[in-house]
Amino acid sequence: MFIFENIKTKVIKEYDVAVCGGGIAGIAAALAAVRQGSKTLLIERQFMLGGLATAGIVTIYLPICDGYGHQVSFGIAEELLRMAIDHAAEGKYPENWLTQNGSRGEKDRRFEVQYNPQMFAILAEKLLKDAGVDILYGTYAVGVDVNDGKIDYIITENKSGRGAYKTKSVVDATGDCDIANFANAPTDNFKQGNVLAAWYYSVGKNGYKLNELGCADIPDEEKTENNKVRTIDDKRFGGLDGEELSRQMFLSHQAIYKHLTENRKNDAELMPVTIATIPQIRMTRKIVGEYVLSDKEMHKHFDDSIGMVSDWKKRGPVYEVPFRTLYNSQVKNLICAGRCTSVNETLWDIMRVIPCCAVTGQAAGTAAAMTDDFLALDITELQKVLKQNGVVLHEKEIF
């Protein structure tokens, strides 16, 4: 037993790496850590893996290429995409990337796919369990115990009550940077706010369909009279308040009901088959890292790059991701992945998507398996391991 905020909390188990959040970033981080031989725990509040990519019905694995024929993201980012293509794909396959047939130019299909959320979640679970990851479902991380600049324990709550897990290093893949916030690491909130989204699947006379109600937003600085976001409501959501999130889910359900009712006038057989079981909130809170990557730094070389990502919204831009964007020295054994990483507001809309989450997740999990002090980690050793596991680090290497 130890005392946490005057409450006696039972220490349940001890791990080398604790990954908080089972979205794409958490999946990649846990897989990378366990493959490095670390005893790894993945804590997920839902009862399925994938986060927004499955429970949130945002089921488009966006491009891992630059749109001009060059693959940009590799390693686990490619592994998960190919898993989706092979076993869970919906609609068109990126045939030009899977075979030697067809071109990959600026007018051709990018290396991406739409996939089935339930199948992807099951496949991801099998991948992690087969690798040896312990998965704890239905569990919230509700606090941390920090001593001498390091997190010693992750405090959790689930059906068993409150417990603690001792760990050497922690990956914050919560999507909301919850662990960093608990540890009093510097964070920054999304100022623009999230538009209402209500993506859902339906089946009717025209078959099975993904309905994308409330598409992705456009950063304020990129908006023009001819470039506006398609919204279903004028409200904005910060995503960090429980009552607000409940209102957001209610409005999302109402939007689905309205859409179905209107479309049933022409299709009496139309029925919903899958709706989101979590709020479709895309950006909330992120770490203020040792480096803040800007959207203006496309094609820039970074000596400490841990991989590359492309711009899903347009062809051309490529970003090397510095290791320094994943952590802040204030908490030595905490590293962030996915949409929690340190970028400016405009780039955040690029870094939040599936391939970027997988790239940063693999780097975070690998690093967490190597050290409990990220400031002291030899970046060349980390890069060596990443390269051994299929990651390409610099843009000059893909031409």
Side-chain angles (χ1 to χ4, degrees):
M1 297 284 187
F2 75 98
I3 304 297
F4 178 75
E5 294 181 352
N6 299 318
I7 300 173
K8 288 186 176 181
T9 303
K10 181 180 179 180
V11 178
I12 299 173
K13 287 182 181 179
E14 181 174 345
Y15 287 88
D16 298 320
V17 177
V19 178
C20 299
I24 299 298
I27 291 169
L31 189 60
V34 79
R35 284 175 173 175
Q36 290 304 116
S38 290
K39 184 180 180 183
T40 304
L41 173 68
L42 177 61
I43 299 168
E44 168 53 40
R45 63 186 179 180
Q46 305 299 319
F47 282 87
M48 67 187 301
L49 296 178
L52 276 174
T54 57
I57 314 298
V58 184
T59 55
I60 301 174
Y61 203 119
L62 289 165
I64 63 170
C65 68
D66 67 353
Y68 291 115
H70 305 102
Q71 185 174 336
V72 168
S73 300
F74 298 82
I76 291 175
E78 180 182 355
E79 180 180 354
L80 294 178
L81 173 57
R82 288 186 177 274
M83 181 183 78
I85 291 170
D86 291 343
H87 303 290
E90 298 175 342
K92 295 181 180 179
Y93 284 51
E95 292 285 356
N96 56 332
W97 287 94
L98 300 176
T99 69
Q100 299 301 314
N101 299 320
S103 60
R104 304 175 182 179
E106 61 182 302
K107 295 183 180 180
D108 298 306
R109 184 173 178 82
R110 297 179 71 176
F111 200 176
E112 62 183 327
V113 74
Q114 182 179 313
Y115 58 89
N116 179 270
Q118 286 79 23
M119 181 62 83
F120 189 94
I122 292 169
L123 292 168
E125 179 185 82
K126 185 178 187 305
L127 182 66
L128 294 186
K129 293 300 291 183
D130 288 350
V133 176
D134 286 351
I135 301 173
L136 190 61
Y137 282 132
T139 301
Y140 280 81
V142 297
V144 296
D145 185 62
V146 181
N147 293 287
D148 297 323
K150 291 183 178 181
I151 296 172
D152 288 333
Y153 297 90
I154 300 292
I155 315 302
T156 65
E157 287 186 358
N158 58 23
K159 195 66 174 179
S160 302
R162 175 166 287 213
Y165 290 85
K166 186 172 177 57
T167 184
K168 295 177 183 176
S169 59
V170 181
V171 178
D172 188 339
T174 60
D176 299 325
C177 223
D178 288 335
I179 309 305
N181 185 54
F182 293 147
N184 293 317
T187 60
D188 191 21
N189 291 2
F190 184 51
K191 300 176 182 61
Q192 186 172 319
N194 296 267
V195 297
L196 180 66
W199 292 29
Y200 75 101
Y201 279 92
S202 64
V203 64
K205 64 182 182 181
N206 294 320
Y208 176 73
K209 180 184 178 183
L210 173 63
N211 302 275
E212 300 172 31
L213 305 188
C215 290
D217 202 359
I218 299 170
D220 284 340
E221 68 179 51
E222 296 180 1
K223 289 178 180 175
T224 66
E225 284 299 315
N226 298 319
N227 186 25
K228 296 180 179 180
V229 65
R230 287 181 289 158
T231 60
I232 53 177
D233 195 287
D234 292 333
K235 295 180 179 65
R236 294 274 174 168
F237 304 89
L240 295 172
D241 179 87
E243 291 186 359
E244 180 201 54
L245 286 172
S246 295
R247 290 194 299 272
Q248 188 269 334
M249 285 297 281
F250 171 75
L251 290 170
S252 177
H253 295 160
Q254 290 300 301
I256 292 171
Y257 177 76
K258 180 181 178 181
H259 187 261
L260 281 165
T261 301
E262 291 176 349
N263 283 276
R264 274 182 174 169
K265 296 174 183 177
N266 298 316
D267 183 0
E269 299 177 2
L270 187 66
M271 290 290 288
V273 292
T274 307
I275 66 172
T277 55
I278 62 174
Q280 293 170 337
I281 296 290
R282 293 171 168 92
M283 291 166 281
T284 55
R285 182 168 51 207
K286 58 182 172 62
I287 192 78
V288 177
E290 294 299 294
Y291 189 86
V292 180
L293 186 62
S294 166
D295 63 299
K296 308 300 183 186
E297 295 181 286
M298 60 186 76
H299 309 298
K300 182 176 179 179
H301 175 90
F302 287 98
D303 288 340
D304 64 335
S305 173
I306 50 79
M308 294 176 290
V309 300
S310 60
D311 188 336
W312 61 271
K313 296 183 289 186
K314 57 187 176 184
R315 297 172 187 261
V318 176
Y319 295 90
E320 294 187 10
V321 182
F323 181 57
R324 291 163 291 161
T325 62
L326 307 187
Y327 68 93
N328 182 284
S329 59
Q330 189 168 314
V331 185
K332 300 175 184 177
N333 67 337
L334 173 66
I335 192 164
C336 295
R339 67 185 205 219
C340 297
T341 54
S342 182
V343 296
N344 72 350
E345 191 116 336
T346 302
L347 188 58
W348 203 347
D349 192 43
I350 296 172
M351 287 296 294
R352 66 175 175 80
V353 301
I354 291 175
C356 306
C357 290
V359 169
T360 55
Q362 180 172 2
T366 303
M370 296 174 68
T371 187
D372 63 354
D373 185 347
F374 298 111
L375 192 65
L377 179 62
D378 184 345
I379 183 63
T380 59
E381 287 300 311
L382 172 61
Q383 290 173 322
K384 179 180 178 181
V385 175
L386 290 172
K387 289 173 72 174
Q388 289 172 346
N389 288 287
V391 176
V392 179
L393 302 172
H394 302 290
E395 189 174 6
K396 65 182 180 182
E397 298 171 12
I398 64 174
F399 293 101

